Amino acid sequence: MLNILDYCTSGTIWSGIISYVQNHMKEYQHILAYPFTDDDLLNMLKKNAKSILPTNEYDSFRKAITALRKGSASSLKKENLYRLCYVLALKSDTQAQDLFLNYLHQNELSPRSLDEFILITCLKLQVSWEEMSKIRKTYQIQISSQPISPGTLNEDDTVKMYYTVIHEQLHTCKDLIQFLDDSENMSFFAKTRNTQYLALFDDVELELLYNADQEQIIRLVTDYGSSEKETILEYYHSLFGLQDDNSKDCLSDQEIALLCNRFDHVFMTYDNFCLLVQRKRPMDISSGMFMLNLLKKLLTEETDSVNDFYANFLDPDEFIGVCNDILIYFGFPVLNPACDNFDRLLLDVYRETLGDNFFVSNSQFQRLYIQNLRNYMKQIAKA
């Protein structure tokens, strides 16, 4: 049996920063001897920050990174995450995405956000922090006035923006400024991440969902292309209640509410879910929230192996590899139990279930895994 108290405290991204530097020592060996201590790394980060950031920004970053080192904080605010990219002297936007997705358990930097669009482009062009800050300040009004959601809900728009604009059209700061000064280009940007939103709600008929109110019926598109009617409340219970298709057992509303306090980046209240579904409030979809949905949607029959969503639950390397591939594809961080207590719970329950049920079928194991996860969530809600 797992000790549920182990999952009631937050992980820290400090270990992720350590791992990143360890795995990229060639970039830092001139200023950091290996092996290094936590204090050695902290001193390097503070030294780099002092040479890059204005005094007031340096003070903010220094306090935040020191709190991480001391264990009095577990995360960094977005602005300090942006600063960290420059403090670590990243040489490209792809290095920044690697840092975010594979080490810090952050969603990918998204071109859909005007602020992050500027950051991604400036990292690609190797523009200094000072110059990038000036550009962001110049377009602060546009950044602040972005709509909550994009005007259209088309797939692949974000990817097209990244490859056809950032990488093919923007080669200098002048190109970037000209692009930002064209008001027609502003219609692309929004406060929500379209790719991840569509990933979570891929079975919902978007036109009806987008215009729905809280009491309306939404339509879920089945594997066969037909649609089934369901209320938003039923959809909420299916997702956050961890209801198995073959079982009526489900986390109660009260248990979900308690889990909102334990895993606030994964679970949410029904009212907030309605706002998320209807895109009336800008909220990031977390990898943990997506995983709740993914565990039930992964296909378990070998005849489905041509589908990207097939996974052999009985093979740990394949199962975790498939989950990570899907997470990365939709812009979520890979499973990182060192940084995230919910990821740690998912993997520990998986391993415990595998140890007890190795000789069942793949489909039976999927049901047992979700059942065990639900049982542990019930215990955590009561803790």
Side-chain angles (χ1 to χ4, degrees):
M1 291 289 291
L2 304 179
N3 181 0
I4 59 174
L5 296 180
D6 290 343
Y7 310 97
C8 296
T9 56
S10 299
T12 174
I13 66 170
W14 178 251
S15 60
I17 298 173
I18 293 174
S19 296
Y20 182 84
V21 173
Q22 287 176 334
N23 291 339
H24 298 80
M25 272 307 297
K26 287 184 179 180
E27 305 291 334
Y28 306 105
Q29 59 187 356
H30 62 292
I31 52 175
L32 185 65
Y34 187 84
F36 58 82
T37 66
D38 284 23
D39 286 336
D40 292 336
L41 176 58
L42 177 63
N43 290 333
M44 185 202 80
L45 293 173
K46 290 195 292 186
K47 182 178 179 180
N48 285 3
K50 194 165 188 176
S51 66
I52 293 170
L53 304 174
T55 302
N56 62 324
E57 293 189 38
Y58 166 72
D59 288 339
S60 174
F61 181 83
R62 176 185 57 79
K63 291 175 183 177
I65 205 72
T66 301
L68 275 184
R69 160 65 186 94
K70 292 181 176 180
S72 56
S74 60
S75 61
L76 291 174
K77 292 182 178 179
K78 266 293 175 65
E79 192 66 21
N80 280 324
L81 285 169
Y82 298 163
R83 291 167 182 151
L84 182 63
C85 292
Y86 278 82
V87 171
L88 286 174
L90 303 186
K91 293 182 170 57
S92 68
D93 57 293
T94 54
Q95 285 188 349
Q97 300 291 23
D98 177 38
L99 173 69
F100 272 52
L101 291 171
N102 297 321
Y103 294 90
L104 304 186
H105 207 264
Q106 303 291 316
N107 287 343
E108 71 175 353
L109 294 167
S110 174
R112 178 65 70 174
S113 159
L114 178 54
D115 207 19
E116 293 188 1
F117 174 89
I118 294 171
L119 175 63
I120 292 168
T121 305
C122 287
L123 284 168
K124 176 227 173 187
L125 298 176
Q126 281 295 276
V127 173
S128 70
W129 175 265
E130 181 182 9
E131 183 64 26
M132 190 212 51
S133 297
K134 288 179 181 178
I135 297 173
R136 290 172 68 200
K137 187 175 181 179
T138 300
Y139 296 95
Q140 190 56 52
I141 293 177
Q142 292 91 327
I143 290 171
S144 301
S145 61
Q146 293 171 101
I148 291 175
S149 62
T152 58
L153 302 179
N154 298 323
E155 293 185 20
D156 298 330
D157 280 353
T158 305
V159 174
K160 289 176 183 176
M161 173 63 77
Y162 180 75
Y163 286 106
T164 63
V165 176
I166 293 178
H167 272 262
E168 294 181 9
Q169 297 181 27
L170 306 182
H171 304 293
T172 66
C173 276
K174 183 178 179 181
D175 293 338
L176 173 60
I177 298 301
Q178 288 178 342
F179 180 86
L180 296 175
D181 283 342
D182 187 341
S183 58
E184 291 185 4
N185 292 328
M186 291 297 107
S187 62
F188 169 81
F189 300 105
K191 294 177 181 177
T192 55
R193 297 168 183 264
N194 204 44
T195 299
Q196 293 167 350
Y197 183 91
L198 292 172
L200 185 64
F201 296 109
D202 65 333
D203 57 350
V204 175
E205 196 168 286
L206 291 175
E207 291 79 7
L208 292 176
L209 182 150
Y210 189 64
N211 295 308
D213 60 42
Q214 292 188 16
E215 302 302 323
Q216 280 186 323
I217 298 291
I218 59 176
R219 294 182 184 272
L220 303 182
V221 179
T222 69
D223 293 338
Y224 305 102
S226 61
S227 60
E228 299 176 351
K229 291 183 179 180
E230 188 169 287
T231 66
I232 297 179
L233 181 60
E234 289 169 333
Y235 196 73
Y236 173 76
H237 285 153
S238 174
L239 176 59
F240 294 105
L242 288 174
Q243 182 173 327
D244 190 328
D245 292 338
N246 297 306
S247 169
K248 294 301 180 183
D249 194 14
C250 185
L251 291 171
S252 68
D253 287 350
Q254 182 181 12
E255 287 168 335
I256 295 174
L258 292 170
L259 290 169
C260 289
N261 298 324
R262 297 293 192 188
F263 305 105
D264 59 352
H265 61 303
V266 178
F267 290 86
M268 63 174 60
T269 64
Y270 174 63
D271 288 342
N272 282 340
F273 183 69
C274 287
L275 295 175
L276 174 65
V277 168
Q278 300 164 59
R279 292 193 171 201
K280 293 181 179 179
R281 175 180 173 183
M283 286 185 282
D284 277 353
I285 293 168
S286 71
S287 60
M289 191 188 304
F290 178 69
M291 283 297 298
L292 287 178
N293 196 37
L294 180 63
L295 291 176
K296 296 193 298 181
K297 287 189 174 182
L298 284 172
L299 302 174
T300 57
E301 299 297 329
E302 289 193 42
T303 54
D304 297 322
S305 60
V306 294
N307 191 297
D308 291 338
F309 278 73
Y310 168 79
N312 181 3
F313 279 78
L314 301 176
D315 183 331
D317 290 338
E318 179 182 335
F319 169 69
I320 295 172
V322 167
C323 288
N324 283 338
D325 286 346
I326 295 173
L327 286 166
I328 291 173
Y329 180 80
F330 289 115
F332 295 105
V334 296
L335 293 168
N336 190 335
C339 285
D340 188 89
N341 53 349
F342 189 75
D343 281 3
R344 189 165 66 254
L345 176 67
L346 290 179
L347 293 176
D348 286 352
V349 174
Y350 168 76
R351 294 187 181 102
E352 182 181 73
T353 306
L354 186 63
D356 294 338
N357 302 278
F358 192 77
F359 297 105
V360 299
S361 70
N362 201 28
S363 297
Q364 287 174 321
F365 182 88
Q366 182 186 39
R367 291 194 295 272
L368 288 169
Y369 176 32
I370 293 171
Q371 176 183 320
N372 288 344
L373 181 62
R374 182 173 58 242
N375 290 340
Y376 274 116
M377 298 307 298
K378 285 178 175 288
Q379 294 178 47
I380 291 173
K382 297 174 183 177

